[in-house]
Amino acid sequence: MDEIFHTSSAKMPLSQSITFNHSMTLLQNLENDPKMPFGLYGKLFLLKNEIQTNKLTEFGFAHGDFTPWNIFIDTWNAALDTLTGTTSHRQAFINSLFDHLYPMEYAGLKVGDNHPSFWSEESDIDILTKKKNFIRITQFCKNSPLTSDVVITSKSFMKNVAIYFHDGSFLSLDMIHQLKRKKYIFLNADKLLKRSMVNPYGIKILSHLDDARYIAWFYALNNSKIPTKYENIKIFIGVI
């Protein structure tokens, strides 16, 4: 393969390469492909913006080995995490996390219709999911090439995963299987999961009414005022 590459190789700016331009067209087409995970596409788009198209690059025949282990989504998510330089490890991990969660039964709590890139760097992530998914999710957190340490704390109704990244960023992930305060279950988790929906960025979330109910109960049971950013839920509270 090394001999074939050197025999066929040629140097040119990326912008003049048929292969490069074809790849950019394919990437553009993937944006509206329902089979393309949102987080994976987001990383590819960010990586595209880092490419210097005037850079002199050597091209030649490659192996063309499209075996299953070369085209797994988890494989490519992990590979791209090591390449992007402008995105924090926390942000890259969040994009991968929701791609990983998609086949599971889950719903983000207090997520709404925003893209993860607009979430505060200080915000936690709370997800409602089945208890059987806890091991699979924590294993994903531990195996990520971005994480330097993962600390898990258990409670009767949830597990907290404290994730420390190599670039110094941090994420607290709560996996909740019961919506419980002390001994009282204030909402039925199974019913909320069945009514969940997918937001425009491929993230499963509570229905707008259920999200409003959850936020109202959450802050009321903690004797706290509902933050200003959630004031739009007042249109739903009259139905609770």
Side-chain angles (χ1 to χ4, degrees), residues 173-225:
L173 171 66
D174 283 346
M175 303 180 295
I176 302 166
H177 70 93
Q178 273 188 326
L179 295 170
K180 186 178 180 182
R181 172 67 176 171
K182 296 183 178 179
K183 63 179 180 179
Y184 299 105
I185 295 174
F186 58 90
L187 288 170
N188 186 302
D190 288 337
K191 289 182 178 178
L192 265 60
L193 285 171
K194 288 178 181 176
R195 293 195 293 261
S196 65
M197 52 191 283
V198 179
N199 78 5
Y201 305 103
I203 298 174
K204 295 180 184 177
I205 60 174
L206 296 181
S207 72
H208 295 310
L209 176 57
D210 285 335
D211 202 36
R213 296 172 69 210
Y214 171 75
I215 290 169
W217 277 112
F218 178 86
Y219 287 101
L221 292 171
N222 284 287
N223 295 315
S224 301
K225 185 180 178 181

Side-chain angles (χ1 to χ4, degrees), residues 24-148:
M24 294 302 99
T25 301
L26 290 176
L27 178 59
Q28 188 174 0
N29 293 339
L30 284 173
E31 182 178 7
N32 299 313
D33 189 334
K35 294 180 181 178
M36 184 66 184
F38 280 83
L40 185 60
Y41 178 81
K43 291 179 194 177
L44 288 169
F45 184 79
L46 289 171
L47 190 61
K48 167 186 172 282
N49 291 337
E50 294 179 19
I51 295 174
Q52 300 174 24
T53 56
N54 60 346
K55 183 178 180 181
L56 196 63
T57 308
E58 190 171 14
F59 291 88
F61 285 116
H63 59 68
D65 184 15
F66 283 96
T67 47
W69 50 87
N70 278 342
I71 55 176
F72 282 143
I73 291 172
D74 293 351
T75 302
W76 282 104
N77 254 324
L80 288 169
D81 284 340
T82 64
L83 291 175
T84 50
T86 58
T87 306
S88 73
H89 288 182
R90 170 194 160 98
Q91 185 59 59
F93 175 84
I94 290 172
N95 290 340
S96 297
L97 173 66
F98 283 105
D99 282 353
H100 182 73
L101 289 173
Y102 194 82
M104 304 182 204
E105 192 174 7
Y106 85 94
L109 303 174
K110 299 182 290 184
V111 169
D113 292 331
N114 293 321
H115 188 277
S117 61
F118 293 106
W119 299 352
S120 166
E121 283 287 323
E122 289 76 40
S123 64
D124 301 339
I125 292 180
D126 299 340
I127 59 169
L128 181 65
T129 189
K130 301 285 189 179
K131 196 173 183 180
K132 65 181 181 181
N133 293 326
F134 284 8
I135 294 177
R136 188 173 166 188
I137 298 169
T138 53
Q139 200 62 46
F140 172 80
C141 298
K142 291 177 179 178
N143 290 342
S144 170
L146 300 172
T147 58
S148 60

